């Protein structure tokens, strides 16, 4: 007889649960299970993924916590309307960003960015010190030094996250961590579509944000960040 340590068993259950959550979550976000429709019954999910009923129950609890599904006794488990999903859940954001058709999601992402990023830039201009501005300037210049499109996208993400951090507002700082997966997907697509002739203008827009923050000009910083976001919105990838 083979004995399995309790900790090892728990680790296996957790790993299997994560796999089921990942697959079902992606399927729901992709529309394979439309809102208000039922997902498969527990025995069917157990068979689909070759996992125990315990794993299925735990996976469903996780998806319920993300707002994707709702379970009712004697009725079953159905997918909730998309407007009730927790869009600030990192997994839900990541699943949306991985869709082939991300038009509506990206439009909503642009809208929320226009609300909080210019405000963060304005706050940063009011409280960033000289060292902060030097670090932000260095991140900005990294946008021109990336060896490939992925590196440029990472640099772009780090630049925007630092502006949020320099705001000094913990809610704004947390937003950067929450949306980073979605923003990276956006930035990598923009980088792929950006021609060499557009790169200089792209850099100048980001440098304008740095300059406004460094000179302590909140309104100018907010306007410059808004210009950066709107330029990305007009890009072919957007």
């Amino acid at each position: 007889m083979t004995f399995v340590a309790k900790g090892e068993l728990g680790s296996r259950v957790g790993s299997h649960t994560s796999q089921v959550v990942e697959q079902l979550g992606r399927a729901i976000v992709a529309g394979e299970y439309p809102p208000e429709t039922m997902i498969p019954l527990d025995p069917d999910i157990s068979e689909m993924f070759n996992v125990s009923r315990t794993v299925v129950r735990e996976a469903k609890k996780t998806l319920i916590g993300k707002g994707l599904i709702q379970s009712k006794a004697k009725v079953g488990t159905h997918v909730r309307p998309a407007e009730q999903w927790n869009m600030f859940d990192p997994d839900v954001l990541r699943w949306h960003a991985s869709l082939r058709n991300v038009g509506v999601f990206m439009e909503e992402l642009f809208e929320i960015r226009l609300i909080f990023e210019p405000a963060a830039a304005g706050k940063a201009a009011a409280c960033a010190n000289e060292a902060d501005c030097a670090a932000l300037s260095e991140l900005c210049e990294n946008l021109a030094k990336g060896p490939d499109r992925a590196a440029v996208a990472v640099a772009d993400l780090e630049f925007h996250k630092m502006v949020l951090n320099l705001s000094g507002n913990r809610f704004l700082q947390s937003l950067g961590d929450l949306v980073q997966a979605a923003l990276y997907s956006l930035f990598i697509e923009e980088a792929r579509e950006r021609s060499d002739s557009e790169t200089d203008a792209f850099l100048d827009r980001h440098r304008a944000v740095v300059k406004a923050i460094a000179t302590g000009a909140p309104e100018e910083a907010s306007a410059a960040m808004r210009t950066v976001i709107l330029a990305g919105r007009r890009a072919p990838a957007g």
Side-chain angles (χ1 to χ4, degrees), residues 51-121:
V51 295
S52 68
R53 301 284 183 88
T54 299
V55 168
V56 173
R57 288 194 294 270
E58 290 302 313
K60 287 173 61 177
K61 286 180 183 178
T62 300
L63 293 171
I64 288 171
K66 297 177 184 298
L68 296 184
I69 61 175
Q70 183 173 4
S71 186
K72 293 183 178 179
K74 299 182 181 180
V75 175
T77 304
H78 68 271
V79 178
R80 301 180 71 189
E83 58 268 21
Q84 296 179 10
W85 298 349
N86 179 6
M87 290 303 296
F88 282 117
D89 180 276
D91 287 333
V92 176
L93 277 168
R94 179 169 54 82
W95 294 331
H96 276 88
S98 67
L99 294 175
R100 290 186 177 181
N101 183 6
V102 294
V104 173
F105 169 69
M106 286 303 179
E107 185 63 24
E108 291 177 332
L109 180 60
F110 276 121
E111 289 177 356
I112 191 65
R113 289 182 67 201
L114 282 171
I115 292 172
F116 71 80
E117 286 198 70

Side-chain angles (χ1 to χ4, degrees), residues 109-143:
L109 180 60
F110 276 121
E111 289 177 356
I112 191 65
R113 289 182 67 201
L114 282 171
I115 292 172
F116 71 80
E117 286 198 70
K123 285 278 293 178
C127 59
N129 59 37
E130 186 175 343
D132 293 332
C133 295
L136 183 63
S137 180
E138 182 177 353
L139 282 178
C140 182
E141 295 311 310
N142 286 343
L143 296 172

Side-chain angles (χ1 to χ4, degrees), residues 198-219:
E198 294 171 326
T199 298
D200 287 343
F202 166 76
L203 289 170
D204 286 343
R205 287 191 292 268
H206 285 74
R207 285 167 178 155
V209 174
V210 176
K211 180 180 179 181
I213 292 175
T215 56
E219 291 186 7

